Amino acid sequence: MSFAGKHIIVGVTGSIAAYKSALLVRELVKRGAEVRVVMTPAACEFITPLTLATLSGSDVVIDMFPADRSKGTWHIHLGVWADLMIVAPASANTIAKLAHGFADNALTSLALAIRCPMVIAPAMDTDMYLHTATKDNLDILRRREVDIIQPESGELASGLTGPGRLPETHVLMHAIERHFRAGDNDLRGMAVLVTAGPTQEPIDPVRYIGNRSSGKMGFAIAEAAALRGAAVTLVSGPVALPTPEGVTRIDVESAREMHDAVMKYYDVQNICILAAAVADFTVSTPAEQKIKKHSLGSGGMQLALDRTPDILAGLGERKGDMLLVGFALETENEQENALRKLKEKNADMMVLNNPRVEGAAFGSDTNVATLLFADGEHEELERMSKAQLADIIIDRALIALRKR
Ligand code: CTP
């Protein structure tokens, strides 16, 4: 996406990750944005203003009180000028000040003067990030609709390991892109149905057969589609995720319930994306009461299982003009198996991933996928955030739909 004509403020605070702001500024300028950088005094300990001034092609704002006294209202002008402000990295100290409305330096003053959306990318040591004070401050900002980019987990400058790392530039870029995309509305007038999460097949009232799906991929797709203007129905198995804004969510537990919900809503959809990890088998006769082990004697126990309905195949049989996207989770002969599923289930596109590949594990915020298309084409994608992958899946689905 080109950022030509977009006015973006990059705020930089005192964090060891401040050097990465240079990469962000360079990328934004490369994509055509006009960039102004504002730094806290602490940020200047980590990266020189000259670097960021050179890359942005503009003076960097650091002083609240510029030498030229006629420019005393700079923050108001810049606040009106900006289409988006991103603070990356955002230190614990600056997050606290933003949460409580302090205006004691150029960055925090500007943050109060902007009229545009704000994105922040916290980066700090794990203990500071996990501290209740920081969590509370981030909650305050979230309630104010500040877009908070989750820090990545990994080894930190201190040698400790945990969440707190500033994500790679492409993740920051994607978060920015999403804000501009929301105005794009390229899915306006379309209905999109997404399935997400695991299913749970009851054994008795307290136990079930389930799987490790977190639902993050499906939720990211639902969120991306809603941001791009679609009317989104999200049929979700049991997950611990908040409903993305503007999305109609239907909660289900078992494969049968998911099947019935999808069949109720499918015929008005333009695109169906089935990201759920649906159980292939369900317990034939779940016990009505909790199974007591003494009732089973001293030996083991056998469960009789029945096949569940295949939702993707069911939609494939009656898809009409709808574009159908499935997921394939494979650990061996990946492409061959996924292609077979695509054909057998009459899908238009399959998103193939292998949970054993680094960056594609269950519950991870990133994924490594290959897209397979009904015409035999395939596209191997690098490791990226699930939010980014969600937009690419939608982009490709739209292209396939327009080709018809
Ligand atoms: N799927 C579905 N209903 C099922 C099983 C799977 O709709 N009962 C969908 C999934 O949501 C996914 C695709 O089918 O989009 C592939 O799921 P997967 O479990 O990988 O494939 P299976 O067909 O179940 O094959 P296998 O378990 O043999 O890999």
Side-chain angles (χ1 to χ4, degrees), residues 52-354:
L52 296 176
T54 309
L55 290 171
S56 66
S58 236
D59 284 345
V60 169
V61 181
I62 305 161
D63 292 327
M64 274 284 275
F65 309 106
D68 179 352
R69 294 294 172 198
S70 68
K71 292 191 175 154
T73 54
W74 61 268
H75 54 301
I76 307 298
H77 297 303
L78 212 48
V80 175
W81 170 87
D83 296 314
L84 184 121
M85 177 169 179
I86 176 165
V87 184
S91 65
N93 187 37
T94 294
I95 288 169
K97 289 181 190 179
L98 294 176
H100 296 283
F102 280 62
D104 64 341
N105 63 36
L107 190 153
T108 52
S109 301
L110 186 54
L112 289 180
I114 55 168
R115 295 179 178 179
C116 60
M118 179 148 141
V119 180
I120 67 167
M124 63 199 74
D125 219 51
T126 296
D127 294 309
M128 295 173 82
Y129 178 66
L130 296 177
H131 197 285
T132 317
T134 306
K135 275 191 186 160
D136 288 349
N137 290 332
L138 285 170
D139 277 344
I140 291 174
L141 292 173
R142 212 170 274 123
R143 281 202 297 277
R144 240 179 259 153
E145 297 196 349
V146 171
D147 181 7
I148 297 163
I149 303 176
Q150 288 273 96
E152 285 185 354
S153 278
E155 198 182 327
L156 298 157
S158 60
L160 295 176
T161 302
R165 256 190 9 200
L166 186 69
E168 298 295 319
T169 309
H170 65 87
V171 177
L172 305 179
M173 289 296 290
H174 183 259
I176 295 170
E177 197 173 309
R178 264 185 18 180
H179 281 271
F180 295 129
R181 268 239 159 119
D184 255 14
N185 276 331
D186 58 354
L187 294 183
R188 194 177 33 211
M190 288 204 185
V192 176
L193 182 141
V194 182
T195 66
T199 61
Q200 293 181 352
E201 309 304 319
I203 298 172
D204 67 16
V206 292
R207 304 172 177 106
Y208 60 83
I209 299 174
N211 62 67
R212 296 179 199 278
S213 169
S214 66
K216 285 181 180 172
M217 190 65 241
F219 274 60
I221 295 169
E223 183 178 19
L227 272 169
R228 292 167 68 165
V232 182
T233 306
L234 171 62
V235 181
S236 175
V239 294
L241 294 172
T243 309
E245 200 159 325
V247 166
T248 304
R249 172 168 172 180
I250 297 158
D251 284 313
V252 297
E253 285 185 0
S254 65
R256 167 54 66 184
E257 283 173 23
M258 184 171 277
H259 171 271
D260 293 352
V262 170
M263 291 308 157
K264 196 165 154 195
Y265 294 99
Y266 87 91
D267 61 347
V268 293
Q269 308 299 328
N270 301 99
I271 303 175
C272 284
I273 305 179
L274 303 196
V278 188
D280 290 322
F281 293 93
T282 189
V283 178
S284 309
T285 352
E288 282 189 17
Q289 304 298 335
K290 185 181 170 208
I291 300 170
K292 305 297 287 175
K293 49 182 173 299
H294 62 74
S295 70
L296 301 168
S298 55
M301 164 188 187
Q302 299 218 334
L303 277 177
L305 302 176
D306 291 333
R307 283 292 290 269
T308 55
D310 191 313
I311 307 165
L312 182 59
L315 289 185
E317 280 169 20
R318 57 196 87 168
K319 73 176 180 186
D321 292 334
M322 176 211 304
L323 192 108
L324 192 53
V325 182
F327 272 68
L329 203 66
E330 306 292 343
T331 54
E332 57 181 354
N333 302 328
E334 288 100 333
Q335 294 218 8
E336 196 184 310
N337 283 336
L339 207 53
R340 186 176 38 77
K341 280 180 193 171
L342 182 145
K343 294 213 170 101
E344 281 175 7
K345 303 191 187 198
N346 196 22
D348 298 289
M349 178 175 145
M350 289 300 269
V351 183
L352 160 67
N353 51 40
N354 178 344

